[in-house]
Amino acid sequence: MSGADPAVIAEARAFLAEAAPAFRAEYGDRQDFDAARAWQRRLDGAGWVGLNWPKEYGGRALDLATQVAVETAIGETGAPQIAGFIGVNTVAAALMRWGTPEQKAYLPAIRSGELIFCQGFSEPGAGSDLASLRTRAQRVDDGFVLDGQKVWTSHGTHGDQCLVLARTTPIEAGGRSHRGLSMFLVPMNLPGVTVKPIRQLTGDDEFCEVFFDAVRLPPSALVGPLDDGWRAAMSTLAHERAAAMLLAMRTRADVRHTVGSAGPELPPGRRDEALQLYVESEVLGLLAERSIAEIGSGTVGPAQSVVKLAWSQVDQRYAEFLFDLHGAAATAGLRPAAANALLFSRSSTIAAGTTEVMRNILGEQVLGLPR
């Protein structure tokens, strides 16, 4: 990738050439949580977790182009995504920017996967529109009392703590406001916290509903300024949007590999479809590279929303192509990876900003269309 540090990439590939086969010898093709946590420990032990973290917190302080190149190389090994990706990629950003010294002490355990975080932002009726959230943290003499519900909470069943966005100053019934919100660290084993897994199409229960019933929190649970949690939350969501660049680059690499391997064997009727998918994935990769360059130069614009919108559609088309490629074997469950990719890809147009929201953002803020 243009702008990436070749020395760091070479170092990463040398590590992966030994680490990935050793991991597969022990865990095979497993993608479950325990395998993901073991892979994270292995990466962290060699300093390959928290690539963009400042060095003072145990990171490598890599620029975005080099980070994406290294993450892409890690993804190409076929090993699972790290178990604590929410903590590493989003929660850590909030703690490094807004956390107290006691809260920042969690960072080494987040990096190693010893401490798993989930993120309690979305609610029924307040997903993409977080200004409408209703979960309430009422101030009391000895801290706060948390009441409400979160939904689509990734890794809620495995989470040790949850970064929760709650309303600390009420608004009028039926209203919405970015003001009066605050962020909290909430241990998942506190009395009053109930986690209910949501079974997905794939059979997994990565997503959960989380209920808070009179959960008592000490003052030290507050992250960042009281009633200014929106600004603190945006620091985590900015990192979530940046993750779209990595997803785009991985999808391009997957399409290149699949089409390159299957191309000569495809019947004539499928070659046009494969070529169209290949072209779309290359355009997606170029969009991501341009966005990475803009971010690296300090330019903030709509490029990340463009990449996220384009990735979600290419990812779904790729999953459909991969499933069709394996035909009856995928349908019969003999190619579980292809079947799982097809089912899981339905979330691509929902997670990290729905396609409809992305189109509204681009239509209003880029094209200047009326609301």
Side-chain angles (χ1 to χ4, degrees), residues 93-115:
L95 297 186
M96 286 186 280
R97 172 66 178 85
W98 303 99
T100 63
E102 292 75 18
Q103 292 168 344
K104 291 178 180 178
Y106 289 135
L107 291 171
I110 291 174
R111 205 180 56 243
S112 68
E114 178 184 352
L115 180 62

Side-chain angles (χ1 to χ4, degrees), residues 151-157 195-200 204-209 344 347 351:
V151 73
W152 312 123
T153 305
S154 297
H155 289 195
T157 54
V195 179
K196 294 186 177 181
I198 299 173
R199 187 70 59 182
Q200 299 166 236
D204 296 332
D205 57 1
E206 176 193 349
F207 290 133
C208 300
E209 290 180 287
F344 191 79
S347 68

Side-chain angles (χ1 to χ4, degrees), residues 64 242 245 290-300 304:
L64 184 58
M245 308 305 117
R290 184 176 69 179
S291 180
I292 290 168
E294 290 178 351
I295 293 172
S297 66
T299 302
V300 179
Q304 291 182 36

